[in-house]
Amino acid sequence: MTDEELLQHYAMGHSEGMTELYLRLKTGLYSYIYNRVKDANLADDIMQDVWSKLITETDRIVEFVDDDVLQFSLRPYLYRMAGNRVTDYYRASGRLQSLGDDENYLVSDMPDPTQSLVDREFAYCLERRMRPLRLKLHEAFWLTRDESMTYKQAALALGVATETVKDWVKQVLKAIRPCREEYEYDGS
Amino acid sequence: MMDPDKELALLEKEYPKSHRAWIRDTPADLDDRILSLAARHAPYLQATHQLKEEQARLKQSLDDGDIFLPTTRPLKGGRPGPRIPPQLLESWSDSYESMPSASIRSPANRRATVPPGAKQLLVSLKNAKQQTWLNTIADIVKDGDIELASYLLRRYRTKFPHG
């Protein structure tokens, strides 16, 4: 069953539809949120907020799924909702430096102190290398770290062309390349 | 110059999507909270779904003339009133729309349900093409404003009933 079919199943009152949907998407979506806010408590709050909204608004959201003309895709919708919450948090906490309409940068993006030392060192390196890049590039990179998220779906979530997402991710991957050598970190 | 997709694939190989650095699982108590909310909400969805099905079935039966409307005439000996020919029977949806209780039915009097920003959007969409409506609704859905998107979708269906 597709994500959208599971939501339709839940909309008929079958709770197992939402259970399966949640189990399918939770790790990718939670990782995306956590990697962007680097705070477990805040990631929990945003995750709960996003799913609560999906659950309580199912009967309305499913109308979009049922409408063939709209070609609604659930996964980009959820990531976009989570991304908006993250940006709200950046703004509220003063972590966003804006140099124009679409030119936002993170002021600082410190790693989670609860991580192991090697992970933390690696995270510091990523932070240092990614900080000069525009926020949009961060979004594209973290969105596509979910194995089940295609470049096309990420493009839908970001509202840009698929090729643009690929280009942004490429820029990030190039920028963080030295971190792997620096820490001999294979992540396995 | 290297093919862009090939270059991306090579870079992705260095940092695979399954890299431990960016995979983080949810805490068990968060799973419990979300799944229990989903379970609590399911009966409401089931009731809503059944109600919608029942309304659709009733509408279909009335439109087809398969069932009788209750008569206002006193029944003689407990017998049912005369069958109303289907051609004389106003469809359920038509009669619903023409109900006299304008204070409830008329959209103009349901101000409380018009979401913020809807009025400005409707003004900007006044002479817009069908595709422009759809693009606007799709953008609002992506932004997560379901209330506004639902409202616009209802207006869209009224404006383009065969869309």
Side-chain angles (χ1 to χ4, degrees), chain A residues 112-179:
Chain A
D112 184 350
T114 62
Q115 287 176 309
S116 74
L117 188 62
V118 180
D119 286 350
R120 206 158 64 225
E121 290 292 319
F122 183 69
Y124 269 122
C125 183
L126 291 185
E127 192 274 324
R128 207 171 52 243
R129 301 264 167 196
M130 285 175 70
R131 199 190 307 162
L133 304 175
R134 280 180 298 145
L135 190 66
K136 285 276 176 201
L137 278 64
H138 293 226
E139 285 181 46
F141 177 70
W142 292 121
L143 264 175
T144 51
R145 293 314 89 194
D146 176 1
E147 283 185 271
S148 60
M149 189 78 168
T150 64
Y151 281 104
K152 193 178 171 189
Q153 287 173 323
L156 272 175
L158 292 169
V160 296
T162 310
E163 291 309 310
T164 306
V165 176
K166 286 181 179 177
D167 181 55
W168 286 351
V169 172
K170 214 156 50 179
Q171 287 185 52
V172 177
L173 286 169
K174 279 181 181 170
I176 64 171
R177 212 173 193 175
C179 297

Side-chain angles (χ1 to χ4, degrees), chain A residues 10 22 26-27 31 34 48 55 67 69 72 77 80 144-145 151 166 174 176-177 180 185 187, chain B residues 5 7 12 14-15 17 19-20 22 24-26 31 33 38 41 134 141-143 146 157:
Chain A
Y10 179 59
Y22 178 72
K26 68 171 189 144
T27 307
S31 301
Y34 175 80
Q48 186 168 334
I55 289 164
D67 197 312
V69 185
F72 179 80
Y77 166 74
R80 178 123 170 184
T144 51
R145 293 314 89 194
Y151 281 104
K166 286 181 179 177
K174 279 181 181 170
I176 64 171
R177 212 173 193 175
R180 188 164 184 259
Y185 191 90
Chain B
D5 281 348
E7 189 186 8
E12 288 276 21
E14 286 181 17
Y15 282 117
K17 289 187 172 187
H19 199 288
R20 182 164 62 88
W22 28 81
R24 186 155 176 132
D25 208 355
T26 49
D31 294 345
R33 283 203 301 274
H41 197 64
L134 289 172
V141 171
K142 283 179 196 161
D143 285 338
I146 293 299
R157 283 176 180 155

Side-chain angles (χ1 to χ4, degrees), chain B residues 72-141:
Chain B
T72 52
R73 286 173 50 190
L75 298 177
K76 288 179 184 172
R79 282 181 295 142
R83 182 188 168 112
I84 304 168
Q87 63 271 25
L88 296 180
L89 198 64
E90 195 180 10
S91 84
W92 177 85
S93 56
D94 291 344
S95 62
Y96 181 85
E97 290 304 327
S98 60
M99 281 175 85
S101 51
S103 59
I104 299 168
R105 302 290 171 214
S106 167
N109 291 310
R110 291 189 307 184
R111 291 206 176 136
T113 63
V114 177
K119 280 183 184 169
Q120 297 91 309
L121 273 170
L122 286 174
V123 170
S124 67
L125 287 168
K126 197 176 176 190
N127 297 314
K129 289 179 182 167
Q130 191 172 358
Q131 192 55 47
T132 313
W133 273 80
L134 289 172
N135 291 344
T136 308
I137 295 169
D139 284 345
I140 296 167
V141 171

